[in-house]
Each structure stands twice: as structure tokens, then as C-alpha cells.
Amino acid sequence: MILPEILEGLSPLYAIGFIVVALLLGNAALSKFHSNRLSYSSIKSLLTPAELSFYKVLEQATPSEYQVMMKVRVGDVLRVSKGVSSKRGLVLRNKINQKHFDYVLIKKSTSEIALCVELNASSHNKRSRRKRDEFLRAACKAGGVKLLEITAKRGYSKSEVKSQLLSVL
């Protein structure tokens, strides 16, 4: 090895200094390598303007014993039933782990899931989105989870949203 030969001729203090510099340079190179491979940028807002508009009304319309959660992964609300083969279970988990509910109402006292809410914008008219919505409805029904779908629009009435919530809660 070449490193022991280099260190052999140096005084102990220089050898330690050499090792420290080598470690620092290696760490800097590794850090640069990782930062180049992980190309991420931040998202400025969790909700779109339309989602935020609805969220504000939804919060006001929600009965006080519930809390509104945003963008909850479907896999945190539903799980694959026991007894399903591991291969089939993997397929089913992958289908739900890549999707989220727009809003989930939970009971404040227990965090029990009371209702999932989907805000259906015009994008839900696309064939792929309709298939996703159909799957989500069927998955919620199979899992015994209440799902309320609300059509996105320019403005929302607190009393109208509250009425829709209460009809399902």
C-alpha cells in the first residue's frame, strides 16, 4: 500500500495532519457526489390556490370535535387485509402508497379517521383520473372508509360544505 509508505517517513504530528486533510477532502468529495445525485427543489406551498380556498371553508365548516388533515397518503388510511398473498399484497400496497386523499377528518380526541374528502377539479374528467377515482371509491368501500367527493368551483359556502359533511359524518 502506498499510504503506509507515505506516513512512515513523516513525524507523528505530520502523519496525523495528513490523515485529517485526507479525511476532509474525501468527505467533501463524497458530499459533492451525494448533492449532485439528489436533485431536489422545494415546493413553495403544500396546497394549490383552489385547494387552499376550499381548505379554509372546510376548516370553518368542520364540527369542532374533528380536525382537518391535508394530503394524507391513502396507505395511511387503508391497509391490505390479512390473508392476502405477499405478491398480491405488494401490488395492492403499491396502488395505495402512491396516492393521497386531499383532506382527512379525524376525531381530535382519538385521531380516529372519520371521513376522507376529495376535491374533484376538472382534471378528474381525464380518463386516467376517472380510473383513479373509481379505484379510490372501491378501495374506501372495501375498507369501510367514508369518502366525500366535492366538485371544485370558484367559491364555497360554509353552510353548504357543513351540510355535505354532516350528511356523511
Side-chain angles (χ1 to χ4, degrees):
M1 303 234 353
I2 198 162
L3 185 58
E5 294 172 9
I6 293 172
L7 296 176
E8 189 178 305
L10 298 176
S11 72
L13 189 58
Y14 284 123
I16 291 171
F18 179 83
I19 291 171
V20 168
V21 168
L23 288 173
L24 289 173
L25 289 173
N27 189 34
L30 188 60
S31 176
K32 183 174 172 70
F33 170 77
H34 282 295
S35 68
N36 287 340
R37 287 185 44 136
L38 302 175
S39 299
Y40 296 108
S41 61
S42 67
I43 296 172
K44 300 301 179 206
S45 179
L46 188 58
L47 299 176
T48 66
E51 291 169 332
L52 180 59
S53 171
F54 178 74
Y55 172 73
K56 289 177 180 180
V57 174
L58 179 61
E59 266 200 317
Q60 293 174 8
T62 299
S64 62
E65 66 267 24
Y66 299 99
Q67 180 174 350
V68 180
M69 311 299 282
M70 301 178 282
K71 300 212 179 207
V72 177
R73 196 171 55 105
V74 174
D76 291 329
V77 174
L78 295 169
R79 67 171 164 232
V80 176
S81 300
K82 292 181 180 180
V84 174
S85 73
S86 58
K87 184 177 180 181
R88 177 76 177 138
L90 181 62
V91 169
L92 292 173
R93 267 188 300 285
N94 286 340
K95 287 186 85 162
I96 61 174
N97 284 338
Q98 299 300 317
K99 294 171 178 58
H100 73 269
F101 291 108
D102 293 325
Y103 312 95
V104 174
L105 274 61
I106 63 168
K107 289 185 180 177
K108 286 181 182 177
S109 60
T110 63
S111 83
E112 181 184 338
I113 297 162
L115 174 65
C116 297
V117 181
E118 281 290 291
L119 185 61
N120 293 341
S122 60
S123 64
H124 288 252
N125 295 329
K126 295 179 184 174
R127 184 174 187 265
S128 63
R129 194 63 189 213
R130 283 194 315 263
K131 285 183 76 168
R132 177 219 178 259
D133 291 343
E134 289 168 12
F135 167 78
L136 205 54
R137 281 183 211 109
C140 285
K141 185 175 181 179
V145 172
K146 294 177 186 176
L147 176 65
L148 174 62
E149 295 179 82
I150 296 181
T151 302
K153 52 187 178 181
R154 286 206 181 276
Y156 304 94
S157 156
K158 176 182 165 185
S159 61
E160 182 182 324
V161 172
K162 187 169 192 158
S163 174
Q164 289 178 302
L165 289 175
L166 293 176
S167 72
V168 181
L169 288 171

